[in-house]
Amino acid sequence: MPNSATTAPAPSGTANLLVDFYDLLPRAIERCVPDRGPVVADPAAFSPGYALPELDEAVRDFLSVATAGWLPFGEYGGHRLTLLDLTGNPGTGTTKTFASLLIVARAVEYIRRTGERVMIFSPTSANKGVALRDAVLRAIDAGLVEPEQLRVAVLAPESCRPKLRASRLSDDERLRALNPVLLYGGPDAEGVKPLGREFVDRHAAALSRDGVRLWFTLQLGNYLTADVARAFFEQRVDPTDADGAAPRLHAHAVSSAFGLLGYHQGRAVLEDLGVASRTTRPASLLVQHLGTPDMVVNLRHGDFDHAHRPDYRFDGATGLYRQSADARFPEVTYDPHEVLDPTFYTHQPATSPAMNDLITTFGGDGVVVSLAECVARYPALRALLGDVGGLPADLRTLREWSLVMALTGVCNAIDRGLVEEGRDIVVHGSGRYSTADYEPLGAEALTPVLTVEDIARAVSG
């Protein structure tokens, strides 16, 4: 039987994760990135370096949407629950805001220092691209750069088209031409990554000769250095070393687990400074979906072999598929091969070994959820979250399932005995938005592509 849910008081607070902890970011960058200087000799490997601009009023305005909330919202199965809300930027609705703002801030600093132009280029499953576009527009509006100095081109799979957002970058004819959105129509959504890499390898040098530095921003370090601030915020509002604090677990819906890896790097910085203890570092719960359960499979078995996934049998009475052999996989699903949310599209992520080591050292587990499980729990989750959740009454309007996935995974893990008794649980609210929150990108702002040559034409145009 599912456990009961109740409310429970606990510390709460808000912060701007970048402005409030700006002085700690260089130390975090030092820990996360071995080589922090610019890379300019090889155009295909360009990086502006990790220097950040001075935190003046214009930069503060640019970073003003980097807000987060620490929001206790109840109890489930004897575990106190807190939402780490990372969705406060209305221009994105996701945690990709933080990394994208830092990426753009670094580009701004480089442009000011050198006078060179920069084009950010990134494959994306939508959310990262939306956040990069939002950050570039914010930099222009804050007067940090001119439109020709800093541009962004994103490459998204056709399956993620409904998540792409309109903004002034798409509505303004000049800005639309400078900042193309490329829609990949190939059969494999993850194909945007090698295609994007090939474009950079083949065309970065020519763009550099034309005075444009092409920056391929998919590297892990570009994301860890923003996600460290989650740990700094936790330490300020609800430290794990406080008297009477229970052991803690952090739960996150993940594709490659950049957010959790960044959080752990932030904890390591605090431990190095002597303000947090390694002995109280929280455990981690990975939540994935059936489309890409690779990190959970690798955590349990050490490889990505599909043979480790349980076999589902069709239940003619209900029309559902069922299994009971593996508590870490959905008990029921509409389709054993479903894609619950195309945001989570990474197969065999290179981050699995690092995440496995952290879970081995500090505790935790992994669980896979299905759409059927999320739908069944949705009304109860919405009621449990209350005013802090922001979930629409009609789940059919939901376009980003990260928060619902994470909460469903937490409840399933508790019900199945995968969470140690006595642990408080922090749910990373990494994404939530519905059709009411944004205007989809129109066809006039999308450029269909299939090949490297298609991308080159769109970018040069």
Side-chain angles (χ1 to χ4, degrees), residues 269-280:
V269 170
L270 296 172
E271 291 158 14
D272 290 346
L273 292 171
V275 297
S277 171
R278 183 177 170 88
T279 62
T280 64

Side-chain angles (χ1 to χ4, degrees), residues 32 76 82 133 179 196 220 283 346 362 445:
C32 294
Y76 185 85
T82 297
R133 286 170 59 80
N179 302 278
L220 177 59
T346 302
F362 300 106

Side-chain angles (χ1 to χ4, degrees), residues 22-343:
Y22 207 70
D23 59 333
L24 280 174
L25 292 179
R27 185 157 192 142
I29 290 168
E30 183 178 342
R31 182 177 185 88
C32 294
V33 185
D35 186 0
R36 298 174 293 280
V39 177
V40 296
D42 180 0
F46 170 77
S47 166
Y50 282 82
L52 297 173
E54 178 186 351
L55 190 60
D56 57 22
E57 285 307 309
V59 173
R60 286 178 180 272
D61 178 54
F62 165 67
L63 297 174
S64 63
V65 291
T67 57
W70 188 266
L71 307 170
F73 64 92
E75 183 178 291
Y76 185 85
H79 299 269
R80 290 198 315 170
L81 304 174
T82 297
L83 175 66
L84 173 54
D85 185 9
L86 303 165
T87 67
N89 178 9
T92 69
T94 73
T95 187
K96 299 301 184 184
T97 287
F98 305 97
S100 297
L101 288 172
L102 273 195
I103 286 170
V104 168
R106 290 162 52 201
V108 165
E109 174 62 17
Y110 180 85
I111 291 166
R112 288 174 166 181
R113 189 170 67 250
T114 66
E116 296 180 351
R117 291 177 288 159
V118 173
M119 173 180 277
I120 294 168
F121 179 79
S122 182
T124 177
S125 59
N127 290 338
K128 188 189 298 105
V130 167
L132 284 169
R133 286 170 59 80
D134 179 72
V136 166
L137 182 58
R138 291 190 61 80
I140 293 169
D141 287 344
L144 301 181
V145 288
E146 295 298 323
E148 292 81 4
Q149 291 179 299
L150 178 62
R151 300 161 59 192
V152 59
V154 299
L155 175 63
E158 173 71 41
S159 60
C160 296
R161 178 175 178 171
K163 288 172 167 276
L164 298 170
R165 298 181 174 215
S167 72
R168 199 157 57 82
L169 281 194
S170 57
D171 297 340
D172 181 285
E173 186 175 352
R174 175 180 171 225
L175 293 177
R176 182 168 67 240
L178 290 170
N179 302 278
V181 179
L182 314 172
L183 200 64
Y184 174 62
D188 176 19
E190 202 175 359
V192 296
K193 293 180 180 178
L195 183 64
R197 180 70 261 178
E198 184 182 357
F199 163 70
V200 173
D201 290 342
R202 289 172 52 183
H203 290 274
L207 284 165
S208 182
R209 289 192 294 271
D210 289 338
V212 177
R213 293 287 191 179
L214 189 64
W215 183 16
F216 189 70
T217 59
L218 212 56
Q219 295 86 354
L220 177 59
N222 293 328
Y223 291 87
L224 293 184
T225 50
D227 293 328
V228 294
R230 303 182 191 191
F232 304 158
F233 180 36
E234 177 184 43
Q235 180 67 20
R236 173 197 282 182
V237 71
D238 194 6
T240 58
D241 300 334
D243 291 342
R248 197 167 293 174
L249 177 142
H250 281 238
H252 203 312
V254 303
S255 184
S256 297
F258 285 5
L260 278 177
L261 287 168
Y263 166 79
H264 279 282
Q265 289 283 9
R267 274 294 301 207
V269 170
L270 296 172
E271 291 158 14
D272 290 346
L273 292 171
V275 297
S277 171
R278 183 177 170 88
T279 62
T280 64
R281 193 185 299 189
S284 302
L285 179 69
L286 307 174
V287 182
Q288 298 199 281
H289 68 148
L290 283 165
T292 50
D294 298 45
M295 294 196 80
V296 174
V297 169
N298 193 271
L299 173 67
R300 303 307 307 173
H301 302 284
D303 59 42
F304 298 108
D305 193 335
H306 286 206
H308 299 306
R309 305 184 190 193
D311 292 327
Y312 283 84
R313 69 181 189 280
F314 181 70
D315 181 349
T318 63
L320 297 170
Y321 292 83
R322 300 182 181 274
Q323 69 86 27
S324 57
D326 191 337
R328 292 172 178 84
F329 271 74
E331 293 178 351
V332 298
T333 178
Y334 301 132
D335 177 1
H337 306 289
E338 72 185 12
V339 175
L340 198 166
D341 191 318
T343 296

